[in-house]
Amino acid sequence: MKKLVFSLAIIASIFTGCSSDDEGTAQPVVGEITGTISANTTYAYGNYTLKGIVKIASGVTVTFDAGSTITANKTTGDNALVVLNGGKLIINGTASQPVVFTEASQTPGSWGGIIMYGDAPIKAIGGAVTATSEDGNNQTYGGTNAAHNGGSLNYVRVEYAGAKLADGTKENNAFTFYSVGSGTHLDHLVAYKGADDGYEFFGGTVSATNLISYGNYDDAFDWQDGWQGQENSNWYGYQTVKGNYGMEIEASSNDNAFFPKVTNVTLKRAAGTTPETAGAIEIDAFQFKKQGNGDFSNVVIEGYGDYTEGATVYHGAAVKIQDATTNTAQVLTSKIKITNAKISGTTQTTPVGATVDIIVAFPANTFTTSTTATGASSLTAGNWATVGTTNLLQ
């Protein structure tokens, strides 16, 4: 009987939670999270195991209290936390007590990260207003609900994600947002050492503030399908060991009248960083292709220099335009703007084309440099931006 009472008390504590005032002294709850969550649930401050593709059903709100750690283990198979359209994820981390999603082996690419679906507008290939997710979950995304609300993520760190799920061809990132709307709150997030992108947006209207992308193998930031967030600020990308573009920007070959806006951007590439895959020379700070566009201001670019592979030396660029169509339809019409940019340690400091046939000439005042840009320097170090003894704000 005593064992039964004790077990019930532990289960009750998972769902009743504890106040933030108690977290410094309370013992963390221990539990497992698996399957589809079909009822509103609060996970109290604790240490949890995430097992399998955990889905938050439509109409359901799941909350994590500050200071919690959620650990996946690749030996159990595919793992990810998925917010289905209509579901909400509320993560109440703080600067001193972030909520950390990690993986037991600490190997990049070991799980699927956080994936959120909505029904905000997209423009996919061919101008399609809906599409099927490429993450192995085969979810339809896209719609007309620009204000879609998938919850509130505050002070969240996702580590070692970017897994190829299921058949090995479906890739994920640390944070993946499919047609997520402007009613969703994303603030103080960290994508740490994943095997794909730190953040990827597939259309939608959501904005994000105070982001760190550290040591991710593909791009620090990536989007497509007509993402159009307008209130983005303080984005910090640091590429080390392996990494492709600081930002890979495309619009699924649609010439959109709109474009996203990001202020206060820092993109750094550590010395010795190599592309993810040999032969794929993706070493530039900003890359625009397939009609990608955007307005970026107060930008710091550092360290995108030469890279040697075999007998060939490749020259890193601050801005590269990948195809002639993007140059004509986006650059020349002023739908790509990079202003107040401070560039150092980078070989090609003026925008260039991927081939000699693409002659890039930004219209007046759409590409400007300065020596006083500060980028994302207002980000504040702390537990949320520290892994072990490493301060991620290099």
Side-chain angles (χ1 to χ4, degrees), residues 336-361:
I336 298 177
K337 300 177 183 178
I338 300 174
T339 55
N340 189 25
K342 181 181 180 181
I343 305 170
S344 63
T346 297
T347 306
Q348 300 178 101
T349 58
T350 58
V352 297
T355 66
V356 295
D357 298 326
I358 303 172
I359 308 301
V360 179

Side-chain angles (χ1 to χ4, degrees), residues 208-230:
T209 53
N210 302 307
L211 304 186
I212 297 174
S213 180
Y214 185 100
N216 293 291
Y217 284 2
D218 196 353
D219 312 309
F221 306 95
D222 190 354
W223 61 85
Q224 57 187 287
D225 291 349
W227 175 62
Q228 51 187 307
Q230 297 293 295

Side-chain angles (χ1 to χ4, degrees), residues 229-249:
Q230 297 293 295
E231 304 295 332
N232 305 283
S233 65
N234 295 327
W235 286 18
Y236 181 92
Y238 185 81
Q239 295 177 286
T240 181
V241 184
K242 288 184 182 181
N244 293 331
Y245 301 114
M247 289 191 183
E248 184 176 25
I249 300 164

Side-chain angles (χ1 to χ4, degrees), residues 236-303:
Y236 181 92
Y238 185 81
Q239 295 177 286
T240 181
V241 184
K242 288 184 182 181
N244 293 331
Y245 301 114
M247 289 191 183
E248 184 176 25
I249 300 164
E250 64 166 283
S252 304
S253 299
N254 295 299
D255 183 7
N256 298 320
F258 54 81
F259 46 77
K261 296 182 180 179
V262 189
T263 62
N264 308 332
V265 178
T266 295
L267 299 175
K268 290 186 177 182
R269 190 176 183 89
T273 302
T274 65
E276 179 184 16
T277 305
I281 309 305
E282 302 176 349
I283 57 173
D284 309 308
F286 286 88
Q287 186 233 32
F288 296 89
K289 65 180 180 181
K290 297 181 181 179
Q291 304 278 29
N293 57 20
D295 183 344
F296 310 88
S297 59
N298 188 26
V299 177
V300 170
I301 296 170
E302 180 182 320

